[in-house]
Amino acid sequence: MAAPAGQREENGCCGRGPRGGGGSPADSEAEAPDSPRARARRQLEALLNRSLRIRMTDGRTLVGCFLCTDRDCNVILGSAQEFLKASDSFAASEPRVLGLAMVPGHHVVSIEVELENLGSPQYL
């Protein structure tokens, strides 16, 4: 169902509605601008289209453009590349190009954001 004219539909960044159907009062546009939810939303919006490095539980590292997340902490990366963890038996090889990638939230170990003002990629 589309939102009435002049209203913004709040379905999350991936366009999916809340689980189980109807919305909650917390999903309305009337949330306080200084609420923890509003601050968290602003922080995530500030990271949109920034380069992230995500380390996963199996040792892989994905680097790509942050496009979206959801309530389960799944992360969508665009133009993603996968780097395998180097072991004693073989050295790290060339990155594998994945393109659009979804990282399940329960596999995320750490997330780093690329610093903006430097020529070579450096991460926080």
Side-chain angles (χ1 to χ4, degrees), residues 37-89:
R37 181 181 167 107
R39 283 193 306 271
R41 181 183 302 266
R42 283 193 303 273
Q43 287 176 334
L44 276 175
E45 287 173 350
L47 296 177
L48 285 174
N49 299 316
R50 299 273 307 271
S51 184
L52 299 184
R53 178 187 300 163
I54 299 179
R55 297 187 200 286
M56 297 173 49
T57 54
D58 61 3
R60 291 180 294 165
T61 300
L62 298 182
V63 175
C65 178
F66 174 58
L67 299 178
C68 181
T69 188
D70 62 14
R71 293 178 185 196
D72 296 325
C73 298
N74 300 318
V75 177
I76 305 293
L77 294 177
S79 303
Q81 294 183 334
E82 174 187 57
F83 296 86
L84 299 177
K85 181 173 121 180
S87 69
D88 294 336
S89 59

